[in-house]
Amino acid sequence: MKILYINSLDKRYGSTYRSRNIAKALIGLQYDLTYVESNLDEKIFEKSISIEQKDSLFGYFSATCKRTRLALRLNYDVLFIQKFIPLAIPALLAAKLRGKKCIVDWDDLDFCYQEN
């Protein structure tokens, strides 16, 4: 099974370390995984793609467009989104338009979805 794993954040965020560990586990289970991360400074997996994402409105928009293009063009069976945030929604919609299965890691449901 081919998995496209998209992490819209970069190494400054704690959830990125969780994301890398999940990706490593999936590779260990013999899945064909393409890992996409923002501002990836080294190739951490065989199939790693770095998307430049500057800390500006244009930077976030541009990176979101690039990730969406990957979701539209790459060959995969399942899209795995690291975190359900606005930066990931266009890629998720692109995958659904292609009829792909999608998985979202709701690791902490984010603060805006929690009462405490």
Side-chain angles (χ1 to χ4, degrees):
M1 177 182 300
K2 293 182 178 184
I3 299 174
L4 176 59
Y5 194 123
I6 295 181
N7 176 8
S8 302
L9 302 175
D10 61 29
K11 66 181 179 181
R12 295 176 295 171
Y13 298 89
S15 60
T16 291
Y17 296 98
R18 174 186 167 89
S19 177
R20 289 177 180 182
N21 284 328
I22 291 171
K24 184 178 178 182
L26 290 170
I27 291 169
L29 292 170
Q30 305 299 313
Y31 288 104
D32 183 0
L33 186 122
T34 301
Y35 182 76
V36 180
E37 184 178 302
S38 298
N39 304 321
L40 188 60
D41 52 5
E42 62 181 274
K43 191 172 184 175
I44 57 175
F45 302 113
E46 182 180 334
K47 293 182 181 179
S48 296
I49 299 173
S50 179
I51 301 289
E52 181 183 4
Q53 181 170 283
K54 295 182 179 177
D55 290 330
S56 67
L57 186 57
F58 179 76
Y60 293 125
F61 177 76
S62 175
T64 298
C65 289
K66 290 174 187 174
R67 285 187 292 270
T68 303
R69 263 185 263 132
L70 290 175
L72 286 170
R73 293 182 179 168
L74 290 182
N75 181 22
Y76 61 94
D77 302 308
V78 175
L79 174 68
F80 194 117
I81 295 292
Q82 179 259 349
K83 201 169 188 77
F84 192 73
I85 58 175
L87 300 176
I89 293 172
L92 185 66
L93 293 174
K96 291 307 288 178
L97 283 173
R98 291 184 63 194
K100 303 296 183 179
K101 294 179 182 179
C102 298
I103 299 171
V104 177
D105 179 14
W106 290 76
D107 63 339
D108 58 4
L109 295 180
D110 287 318
F111 70 92
C112 59
Y113 300 112
Q114 299 178 14
E115 292 182 14
N116 54 21

Coordinates of all heavy atoms in Angstrom, one line a residue, residues 41-71:
D41 N 15.2 19.9 6.7 CA 16.6 20.3 6.4 C 17.5 19.1 6.1 O 18.6 19.2 5.7 CB 17.2 21.1 7.6 CG 17.0 20.5 8.9 OD1 16.5 19.3 9.0 OD2 17.4 21.1 9.9
E42 N 17.0 17.9 6.2 CA 17.7 16.7 5.9 C 16.7 15.6 5.4 O 15.6 15.6 5.8 CB 18.5 16.2 7.1 CG 17.7 15.7 8.2 CD 18.5 15.3 9.4 OE1 18.8 14.1 9.4 OE2 18.8 16.1 10.3
K43 N 17.2 14.7 4.6 CA 16.4 13.7 4.1 C 16.3 12.6 5.2 O 17.2 11.8 5.3 CB 16.9 13.1 2.8 CG 16.0 12.2 2.1 CD 16.5 11.8 0.7 CE 15.5 11.0 0.0 NZ 15.9 10.7 -1.4
I44 N 15.2 12.5 5.9 CA 15.1 11.6 7.0 C 14.6 10.2 6.6 O 14.8 9.2 7.3 CB 14.3 12.2 8.2 CG1 12.9 12.5 7.7 CG2 15.0 13.4 8.8 CD1 12.0 13.0 8.8
F45 N 13.9 10.1 5.5 CA 13.4 8.9 5.0 C 13.8 8.8 3.5 O 14.1 9.8 2.9 CB 11.9 8.7 5.1 CG 11.4 8.9 6.5 CD1 10.6 10.0 6.9 CD2 11.7 7.9 7.5 CE1 10.2 10.1 8.2 CE2 11.2 8.1 8.8 CZ 10.5 9.1 9.2
E46 N 13.7 7.6 3.0 CA 14.1 7.4 1.6 C 13.3 8.3 0.7 O 13.9 8.9 -0.3 CB 14.0 5.9 1.2 CG 14.4 5.6 -0.2 CD 14.2 4.1 -0.6 OE1 14.2 3.3 0.3 OE2 14.0 3.9 -1.8
K47 N 12.0 8.3 0.9 CA 11.1 9.2 0.1 C 10.7 10.3 1.0 O 9.6 10.3 1.5 CB 10.0 8.4 -0.4 CG 10.3 7.3 -1.4 CD 9.0 6.6 -1.9 CE 9.3 5.5 -2.9 NZ 8.0 4.9 -3.3
S48 N 11.5 11.3 1.1 CA 11.2 12.6 1.8 C 11.1 13.7 0.9 O 11.9 13.9 0.0 CB 12.3 12.9 2.9 OG 12.3 11.9 3.9
I49 N 10.1 14.6 1.1 CA 9.9 15.8 0.3 C 9.8 17.0 1.2 O 9.0 17.0 2.2 CB 8.6 15.7 -0.6 CG1 8.7 14.5 -1.6 CG2 8.4 17.0 -1.3 CD1 7.4 14.3 -2.3
S50 N 10.7 17.9 1.0 CA 10.7 19.2 1.8 C 9.9 20.2 1.1 O 10.1 20.5 -0.1 CB 12.1 19.6 2.1 OG 12.1 20.8 2.8
I51 N 9.0 20.9 1.8 CA 8.2 22.0 1.2 C 8.6 23.3 2.0 O 8.5 23.3 3.2 CB 6.7 21.8 1.4 CG1 6.2 20.5 0.7 CG2 5.9 23.0 0.9 CD1 6.2 20.6 -0.8
E52 N 9.2 24.2 1.3 CA 9.6 25.5 1.9 C 8.4 26.2 2.4 O 7.4 26.4 1.6 CB 10.4 26.3 1.0 CG 10.9 27.6 1.6 CD 11.6 28.6 0.7 OE1 11.7 28.3 -0.5 OE2 12.0 29.6 1.1
Q53 N 8.4 26.6 3.6 CA 7.2 27.3 4.2 C 7.8 28.4 5.1 O 8.2 28.2 6.2 CB 6.4 26.3 5.0 CG 5.1 27.0 5.6 CD 4.2 25.9 6.2 OE1 3.5 25.3 5.4 NE2 4.2 25.8 7.5
K54 N 7.7 29.6 4.6 CA 8.1 30.8 5.4 C 7.0 31.2 6.3 O 5.9 31.0 6.1 CB 8.5 31.9 4.4 CG 9.7 31.6 3.6 CD 10.1 32.7 2.7 CE 11.4 32.3 1.9 NZ 11.8 33.3 0.9
D55 N 7.4 31.9 7.4 CA 6.5 32.3 8.4 C 5.8 33.6 8.0 O 6.0 34.7 8.6 CB 7.2 32.5 9.8 CG 7.6 31.1 10.4 OD1 6.9 30.1 10.1 OD2 8.5 31.1 11.1
S56 N 5.0 33.6 7.0 CA 4.3 34.7 6.5 C 3.0 34.2 5.8 O 2.9 33.0 5.5 CB 5.1 35.5 5.5 OG 5.3 34.8 4.3
L57 N 2.0 35.0 5.6 CA 0.8 34.6 5.0 C 1.1 34.0 3.6 O 0.6 33.0 3.3 CB -0.2 35.8 4.9 CG -1.6 35.5 4.4 CD1 -2.2 34.4 5.3 CD2 -2.4 36.7 4.4
F58 N 1.9 34.7 2.8 CA 2.3 34.2 1.5 C 3.0 32.9 1.6 O 2.8 32.0 0.8 CB 3.1 35.2 0.7 CG 3.5 34.7 -0.6 CD1 2.6 34.7 -1.7 CD2 4.8 34.2 -0.9 CE1 2.9 34.2 -2.9 CE2 5.1 33.7 -2.1 CZ 4.2 33.7 -3.1
G59 N 3.9 32.7 2.6 CA 4.7 31.5 2.8 C 3.8 30.3 3.1 O 3.9 29.2 2.5
Y60 N 2.8 30.5 4.0 CA 1.9 29.4 4.3 C 1.0 29.1 3.1 O 0.7 27.9 2.8 CB 1.0 29.8 5.5 CG 1.8 29.9 6.8 CD1 1.7 31.1 7.6 CD2 2.5 28.9 7.3 CE1 2.4 31.2 8.8 CE2 3.3 28.9 8.4 CZ 3.2 30.1 9.2 OH 3.9 30.2 10.4
F61 N 0.5 30.1 2.4 CA -0.3 29.9 1.2 C 0.4 29.1 0.1 O -0.1 28.2 -0.4 CB -0.9 31.2 0.7 CG -1.7 31.1 -0.5 CD1 -3.0 30.6 -0.5 CD2 -1.2 31.4 -1.8 CE1 -3.8 30.5 -1.6 CE2 -1.9 31.3 -2.9 CZ -3.2 30.8 -2.9
S62 N 1.6 29.6 -0.1 CA 2.4 28.9 -1.2 C 2.7 27.5 -0.8 O 2.6 26.6 -1.7 CB 3.8 29.7 -1.3 OG 4.6 29.0 -2.2
A63 N 3.1 27.2 0.4 CA 3.4 25.8 0.8 C 2.1 25.0 0.8 O 2.1 23.8 0.4 CB 4.0 25.8 2.2
T64 N 1.0 25.5 1.1 CA -0.3 24.8 1.1 C -0.6 24.4 -0.4 O -1.1 23.3 -0.6 CB -1.4 25.6 1.7 OG1 -1.1 25.9 3.1 CG2 -2.8 24.9 1.6
C65 N -0.4 25.3 -1.3 CA -0.6 25.0 -2.7 C 0.3 23.9 -3.2 O -0.1 23.0 -3.9 CB -0.4 26.3 -3.6 SG -1.7 27.6 -3.4
K66 N 1.6 23.9 -2.8 CA 2.5 22.9 -3.2 C 2.1 21.5 -2.6 O 2.1 20.5 -3.3 CB 3.9 23.2 -2.7 CG 4.5 24.4 -3.5 CD 5.8 24.8 -2.9 CE 6.3 26.1 -3.5 NZ 7.6 26.6 -2.9
R67 N 1.6 21.5 -1.4 CA 1.2 20.2 -0.8 C -0.1 19.7 -1.5 O -0.2 18.5 -1.7 CB 0.9 20.4 0.7 CG 2.2 20.5 1.5 CD 1.9 20.5 3.0 NE 1.2 21.7 3.4 CZ 1.8 22.8 3.9 NH1 3.2 22.8 3.9 NH2 1.2 23.8 4.2
T68 N -1.0 20.6 -1.9 CA -2.2 20.2 -2.6 C -1.8 19.7 -3.9 O -2.4 18.7 -4.4 CB -3.1 21.5 -2.7 OG1 -3.4 22.0 -1.4 CG2 -4.4 21.1 -3.4
R69 N -0.9 20.3 -4.6 CA -0.4 19.7 -5.9 C 0.1 18.3 -5.8 O -0.2 17.4 -6.6 CB 0.6 20.6 -6.6 CG 0.0 21.6 -7.6 CD 1.1 22.4 -8.3 NE 1.1 23.6 -7.6 CZ 2.2 24.3 -7.2 NH1 3.4 23.8 -7.4 NH2 2.2 25.4 -6.5
L70 N 0.9 18.1 -4.7 CA 1.4 16.7 -4.5 C 0.2 15.7 -4.3 O 0.2 14.6 -4.8 CB 2.3 16.7 -3.2 CG 3.6 17.3 -3.4 CD1 4.4 17.3 -2.0 CD2 4.5 16.7 -4.5
A71 N -0.8 16.1 -3.5 CA -2.0 15.3 -3.3 C -2.8 15.0 -4.6 O -3.4 14.0 -4.7 CB -2.9 15.9 -2.2

